[in-house]
Amino acid sequence: GAFDIVGNGLVSSLVLKLKTEVDEIQELILDTLAGCLCVEAFEALASGAVPILKEKLTHQSEAIRSKAARSLLGIRIILWHFMSLWKGRTLFGVLVSLLEDSDVEVRADAAGALMFATITTQGKYAAFNADAITPLLKLVSDESSKVRLNAIKSLTMLSETPEGRKVLLDHVDLFREHLNDPSEAVSRAAKIAIKVIEWKP
């Protein structure tokens, strides 16, 4: 599995093949990379995975856009390097635009990518400056529980900045609507979001 691929130093080869293979093979490569990046991200970073995956976020194929976003999640393992590569507003702008994608998996993965990208203060402000809050608020009521969950978690991260909290204080009722969400995970996330947004020092 992923451990064997990483152990044999094959990640860089997979990354490079994303540039040349047909769409069907790219999908398989992206699925494989997602697992590998959760095991170890250094080789992928060294082989230029982030710019390539970033490019795939705007691919015409919904499946490739979704899988590219999912693969990028694995890079959270080494946050300091992750943020040095993700600090540019361009990538955050692409992720924000994908929040309004017609495909539910793309929306879910874009919200998930933002959730991990906003773990650091730098990421929070990059997402805030890319106007991520407005589309994320729309996704809180998405038909997909996965989308709702990732959107709420992303907004919770953004509410940890004074600027984000100020905006989200006007939308607490939206989160209250999901305290009894059919999804238990969404319900818990909404409860935590309200607590963080209404927190006072």
Side-chain angles (χ1 to χ4, degrees), residues 148-163:
R148 295 197 301 275
L149 180 63
N150 287 349
I152 290 173
K153 286 185 175 182
S154 293
L155 288 166
T156 302
M157 300 301 292
L158 288 170
S159 72
E160 293 178 356
T161 65
E163 296 85 351

Side-chain angles (χ1 to χ4, degrees), residues 125-140:
Y125 279 102
F128 180 84
N129 290 330
D131 298 321
I133 288 182
T134 299
L136 283 170
L137 283 169
K138 293 178 182 177
L139 296 186
V140 171

Side-chain angles (χ1 to χ4, degrees), residues 184-195:
E184 186 178 344
V186 172
S187 177
R188 287 197 305 267
K191 183 177 181 180
I192 293 171
I194 292 169
K195 184 177 180 181

Side-chain angles (χ1 to χ4, degrees), residues 71-143:
S71 293
L72 282 166
L73 297 185
I75 299 176
R76 68 187 184 276
I77 297 170
I78 46 172
L79 283 176
W80 66 269
H81 198 94
F82 172 86
M83 288 314 303
S84 73
L85 292 168
W86 284 54
K87 63 184 178 181
R89 294 185 182 181
T90 302
L91 179 56
F92 282 92
V94 172
L95 289 174
V96 169
S97 69
L98 290 176
L99 294 174
E100 299 178 317
D101 197 274
S102 60
D103 184 77
V104 64
E105 286 300 320
V106 174
R107 295 197 302 275
D109 290 335
L114 281 170
M115 174 178 63
F116 287 111
T118 52
I119 288 174
T120 68
T121 300
Q122 184 181 13
K124 289 177 174 63
Y125 279 102
F128 180 84
N129 290 330
D131 298 321
I133 288 182
T134 299
L136 283 170
L137 283 169
K138 293 178 182 177
L139 296 186
V140 171
S141 299
D142 195 274
E143 59 184 21

